[in-house]
Amino acid sequence: MPGSDRSRRFPWLAWAGAAWIALLVITALLAPVLPLRDPSAKGIRTGEVGRFESPGWNAWFGGARQGEDQLARVVAGIRPALVLGLVVTLLGALLGGVLGVAAGYLRGRLDRLAVGFIDAALAFPVLVLVIAARAAFGASLVVIIAIFTAASIAPYARLVRGATLTLAERDFVVAARAMGATRRRILWRELAPNLALPLFSFACLGFAVVILTEGGLSFLGLSVHELTWGQLIAEGAGEIRHHPHVALIPATVMFLTVMAFNLVGDGLGQLGGRRRPVTVQRQRTGPPSPDAPGPLPAPLSIRNLSTVLHTATGDVMAVDDVSLEVAAAEVVGLVGESGSGKTMILRSIVGAFPVADVSRNGSVEVDGVDVLRGRAEDVQRTLGTAVGMISQNPLTALNPVRRIEHQLTEPMTVHGGLTRAAARRRALELLDQVGLTDGARRLRSYPHELSGGMRQRVTIAVALANHPSLLLADEPTTALDVTIQEQIVTLLARLQDERTMAMVFVTHDLALLGEIADTICVVYGGQIVERAPAAELFRHPRHRYTVALLASRPDPAAPSHTPLAVIPGHPPVPRPDDRGCRFAPRCPAATAQCREERPPEVVDGTHHVRCWHPRGDDEPA
Amino acid sequence: MSRPESPPLIEVEDLVVSYPAGRARRVQAVSGVSLAIASGETLGLVGESGCGKSTLARAILRLVRAEHGRVLLAGDDPLDERRLRRRVQMIFQDPVSSLNPARRVADIVAEGLEIWGTDAGGSGGRSEIVERVLHAVGLDPETFGARRPHELSGGQAQRVCLARALAIRPEMLVLDEPVSALDVSVQAQILNLLERLKAEFGLTMLFVSHDLSVVRAISDRVLVMYLGRVCEVAPVDELFRRARHPYTRALMASVPGKPFGVPPASRLIEGEPPSPIDPPSGCRFRTRCPRADQRCADVAPDAIAVGEGHLVACHHPVDPEESHDDRAR
């Protein structure tokens, strides 16, 4: 999307974490010049701090067992914590990063060796190694750093190897190879910048782990001789009952520090991260529209439907005042470009959205049941039995780890109340109806064992399992080859005719709708801008967008190399506060009125058009 | 396979490319394809998924290794693959993902100049060349130079890809489904732009696509592939008027709206393409072909000339006058 992307901002909590880390660093650097007491001075001798003195003006963090000033000791503990964390993280990220990139990019034998090393290293008991090393070398910071580093190489290597493997397959890396870029250049200019952010984010989390682990080791008395937070906590732990501040204050500082690194790490991860799939949805529904429903319920009746997606980049008017009636045995085609809202109209019917926060207004009735405001169980039953759905990608629509039999019989046993044997018999019938031979063998197959065309036949069978009165097909042939597309469209047309099903067929291909749809709706900027019987639409397109869409495809009668008619610009992101006609900026016939006022819906018999200046029949198309 | 009149810029001779398919088996994506593209010509390469058209395109740039055969550039076999990539550039299907998300448009376009030196881009300094090619693809350098790929629409990103390729003044573009990921209204913009750039930069093009209408609009000659082999090659008008291979006919008949006026595909083609791991003997199309007989199963057909520059690999080519009568509808 052009413009700034608010989801890529650094969250304020991460800023807070960064501020805490900065405070620690500055304090550690300035410690020698700050007016602090000697951390090793015993207050019971100097008389400055009392034994287990409570925190107060004299000693902000209180005193320890022998009157040591806890503030001075906590500050003294910053340095070993940061040094240990920084050195281990840098070394681990560097060594692990190099190993991971080399393994992931060069592949081959090196990769197999690296994977073996990573697996072995991740299984290694670090604690045992620390105890053994302490016995052999004593409590030295260098030894602890060496062990921690050795233990952290593998996780970094695994992360970087995985990221490199995915990146190396991406088109821009292949494009760089095709440009003649050398391996070194690809590593530094193409891979490294894209690896930096995830690696840095992971390193922040790693930093926190190092500080925590050191604390744990100190508690067990296994750490270095220097004064660390872990030791302060261990020392105070014995007095937790009567003098809790001795352990709790260093523990709080450590907790805040670990949390700060985690927050910064997560913040960085979000900066580079892809949008996460949404699990919890919040859907709002406006008041019912005043229109009274008709006497006989149609399979699908949509009145004044508006759907607003509340996204990080602002509200998107995905569906804008759409009314649509689909009668039994009727096929309505929705055609539009990406982002036009054609798929969102379908999703608004079944209530499945890509973002969490959605408002729907108007009414959607399936077989007379209001799916926006009806009782939850009615809606669920109606959507489960009366509506069948076919999506663009049959591979993601089917569960990859379950056999076809399970996926086909499940809707029948759950919603249709059939026994397993009856469901199986019916599954075989369905497979036969969708043109899959050798049904018994197909039932035992997994989705990946079938070709794209066969998988789409299976999803059609699944959609038909409960005799739906309405079939929603979302670009069902876009992922398929033309010869298979022809077969699937023929199949859908036959099934729809045999079962007198209503069907909504969504596609970007206007010519394809000419083969299957009775009525065609052209969708642009969330609105149905033109609706007409298929033949009428091709013969007398009225809306300027429809005219342009028809003209922008190569004319099979024109000689090759004929320049194509072009619609300038690209489709808009519809917003709730848009004024005028959304096609106006690209329209050759637009006037000031088009830019200011919403176009009215002009109805001429069965032909509806939302336009101030529709094309007349005498104008050339 | 065919010999155009002007000397070929690129020649592919008996190319075989295979991939490992597990359990020590290999699948041949391209099995013995030969073709030649004349300087200044646009060759359209059509076929369905798995026919080997993308593999062939990548093998020409040596992005995948050929097992057998060779690729000649202006008559000689460039042993140095980097030298080849200097003169032949590639454009991919998904324009956004073929741009490095971490870099800005101006840097992306200058990539070839960084690799090959500013002299590769002709006269002027680096920023002048970048400005020049961005203008050439219809993008304002002021507005777009500092943007990152995620701030571009699909059509804009494909224009950036073209600018990046053109910055080092290649002689040829290999375009792998360059408009398939774009919206219909944007497709026309890019196709017109390609025609203009071809004239402006004197380019030769290999245009890979599954979309017959688009291929017809942009190509001088068209080559049809099925399961790793060439079915038919012909000048564009000849092919669309007098297609001889049953598969070419089936492909034309499957286009929605039947713009090429041949009988419904269901009468011509049934079933699914066989697996390339275990291709049929003889003619690879025979399992779906209504004309297939024993000879088709026994002997793979050789390409035979059936007209000026028109070759067809079929034992039973369709009579050119057959069933084109319903063209007018």
Side-chain angles (χ1 to χ4, degrees), chain A residues 80-291:
Chain A
L82 291 187
V83 167
L84 184 67
L86 198 66
V87 173
V88 168
T89 305
L90 279 181
L91 282 176
L94 190 72
L95 296 174
V98 168
L99 181 66
V101 165
Y105 186 61
L106 301 176
R107 313 285 289 273
R109 188 181 297 165
L110 181 67
D111 189 35
R112 286 195 293 276
L113 275 173
V115 170
F117 163 77
I118 291 170
D119 287 343
L122 287 175
F124 205 83
V126 177
L127 198 62
V128 176
L129 191 68
V130 172
I131 296 171
R134 196 172 190 281
F137 305 107
S140 117
L141 189 62
V142 177
V143 172
I144 292 285
I145 285 177
I147 294 169
F148 275 27
T149 304
S152 67
I153 289 176
Y156 285 108
R158 189 170 59 165
L159 171 89
V160 171
R161 176 183 171 270
T164 309
L165 278 177
T166 349
L167 279 172
E169 295 298 314
R170 294 273 294 277
D171 283 348
F172 68 87
V173 176
V174 184
R177 277 176 64 206
M179 299 270 333
T182 55
R183 268 188 177 174
R184 210 171 73 193
R185 192 189 152 81
I186 288 173
L187 276 177
W188 283 111
R189 303 305 296 269
E190 309 295 340
L191 295 179
N194 289 296
L195 289 170
L197 204 59
L199 185 62
F200 202 66
S201 157
F202 192 69
C204 282
L205 305 179
F207 208 117
V209 171
V210 170
I211 293 177
L212 265 184
T213 314
E214 190 281 328
L217 286 178
S218 295
F219 203 86
L220 298 174
L222 291 173
S223 190
V224 291
H225 280 314
E226 269 182 85
L227 200 57
T228 66
W229 292 337
Q231 285 171 7
L232 295 183
I233 299 169
E235 201 186 289
E239 310 294 338
I240 196 92
R241 229 192 185 155
H242 306 292
H243 309 287
H245 71 270
V246 183
L248 284 187
I249 288 178
T252 307
V253 171
M254 187 163 163
F255 163 75
L256 287 175
T257 308
V258 169
M259 176 123 130
F261 276 105
N262 283 337
L263 286 174
V264 172
D266 283 342
L268 288 170
Q270 267 176 41
L271 270 190
R274 304 277 160 267
R275 210 163 284 171
R276 285 180 194 142
V278 173
T279 46
V280 184
Q281 300 207 342
R282 184 156 78 100
Q283 294 188 6
R284 307 180 221 164
T285 311
S289 59
D291 307 53

Side-chain angles (χ1 to χ4, degrees), chain A residues 560, chain B residues 215-217 219-222 234-241:
Chain A
S560 54
Chain B
V215 163
R216 183 180 175 284
S219 308
D220 299 310
R221 282 193 306 135
V222 179
V236 62
D237 289 336
E238 166 85 3
L239 188 88
F240 282 89
R241 218 170 286 143

Side-chain angles (χ1 to χ4, degrees), chain A residues 1-5 8 167 170-182 185 189-191 193-194 274 336-339 451-454 457 479-487 490 508-509 511-513 515 545 549 552-571 586, chain B residues 48-49 58 61-63 82 85 88-90 92 94 97-103 111-112 114-116 147 150-153 156 164 168 183-189 191-192 195 198 210-211 213-214 216-220 236-237 247 250-251 253-260 265-266 269-273 288 327:
Chain A
M1 265 324 101
S4 71
D5 189 347
R8 287 172 80 92
L167 279 172
R170 294 273 294 277
D171 283 348
F172 68 87
V173 176
V174 184
R177 277 176 64 206
M179 299 270 333
T182 55
R185 192 189 152 81
R189 303 305 296 269
E190 309 295 340
L191 295 179
N194 289 296
R274 304 277 160 267
E337 299 180 276
S338 54
S451 74
M454 288 195 243
R457 286 173 194 269
L480 304 174
D481 282 318
V482 277
T483 56
I484 308 298
Q485 166 172 290
E486 172 82 20
Q487 295 172 3
T490 310
H508 65 280
D509 189 343
L512 184 63
L513 285 186
E515 305 214 323
Y545 175 64
L549 209 54
S552 64
R553 283 291 290 168
D555 177 1
S560 54
H561 303 298
T562 306
L564 304 170
V566 157
I567 312 176
H570 45 85
R586 304 173 76 189
Chain B
E48 298 181 276
S49 53
R58 280 161 196 246
L61 271 147
R62 304 225 186 150
L63 291 168
R82 291 191 66 224
R85 290 173 189 170
V88 184
Q89 283 291 301
M90 185 144 180
F92 297 85
D94 183 349
S97 82
S98 59
L99 300 174
N100 188 337
R103 307 187 74 192
E111 189 162 12
E114 287 171 19
I115 297 170
W116 296 104
R147 288 212 184 155
H150 73 93
E151 296 169 328
L152 303 173
S153 70
Q156 289 163 350
R164 170 175 65 183
I168 55 169
D183 275 317
V184 184
S185 70
V186 180
Q187 272 188 7
Q189 297 172 7
L191 290 171
N192 283 356
E195 295 276 25
K198 184 185 166 189
H210 70 280
D211 187 333
S213 304
V214 165
R216 183 180 175 284
I218 201 161
S219 308
D220 299 310
V236 62
D237 289 336
Y247 177 63
L251 213 51
S254 306
V255 176
K258 307 281 171 288
F260 304 116
S266 49
I269 189 165
E270 276 165 5
E272 309 240 346
R288 300 170 80 194
R327 200 191 149 93

Side-chain angles (χ1 to χ4, degrees), chain A residues 429-480:
Chain A
E429 268 170 46
L430 280 167
L431 286 185
D432 185 51
Q433 283 171 23
V434 298
L436 278 177
T437 51
D438 202 0
R441 192 162 66 93
R442 298 290 174 226
L443 284 183
R444 286 194 303 274
S445 314
Y446 288 97
H448 69 89
E449 294 170 332
L450 306 176
S451 74
M454 288 195 243
R455 282 197 288 259
Q456 197 56 296
R457 286 173 194 269
V458 171
T459 58
I460 293 172
V462 172
L464 295 177
N466 284 323
H467 301 283
S469 52
L470 173 66
L471 190 62
L472 304 176
D474 185 10
E475 302 254 12
T477 60
T478 304
L480 304 174

Side-chain angles (χ1 to χ4, degrees), chain A residues 230-361:
Chain A
Q231 285 171 7
L232 295 183
I233 299 169
E235 201 186 289
E239 310 294 338
I240 196 92
R241 229 192 185 155
H242 306 292
H243 309 287
H245 71 270
V246 183
L248 284 187
I249 288 178
T252 307
V253 171
M254 187 163 163
F255 163 75
L256 287 175
T257 308
V258 169
M259 176 123 130
F261 276 105
N262 283 337
L263 286 174
V264 172
D266 283 342
L268 288 170
Q270 267 176 41
L271 270 190
R274 304 277 160 267
R275 210 163 284 171
R276 285 180 194 142
V278 173
T279 46
V280 184
Q281 300 207 342
R282 184 156 78 100
Q283 294 188 6
R284 307 180 221 164
T285 311
S289 59
D291 307 53
L296 245 179
L300 177 66
S301 165
I302 300 177
R303 283 204 189 82
N304 307 106
L305 174 72
S306 293
T307 302
V308 177
L309 310 178
H310 306 284
T311 72
T313 53
D315 287 357
V316 177
M317 193 91 200
V319 179
D320 186 357
D321 193 19
V322 162
S323 296
L324 183 66
E325 193 113 339
V326 187
E330 190 186 13
V331 181
V332 170
L334 298 180
V335 65
E337 299 180 276
S338 54
S340 64
K342 58 187 190 301
T343 297
M344 280 302 151
I345 296 176
L346 280 201
R347 285 171 177 265
S348 299
I349 298 169
V350 296
F353 296 100
V355 296
D357 197 1
V358 177
S359 309
R360 283 187 289 179
N361 275 295

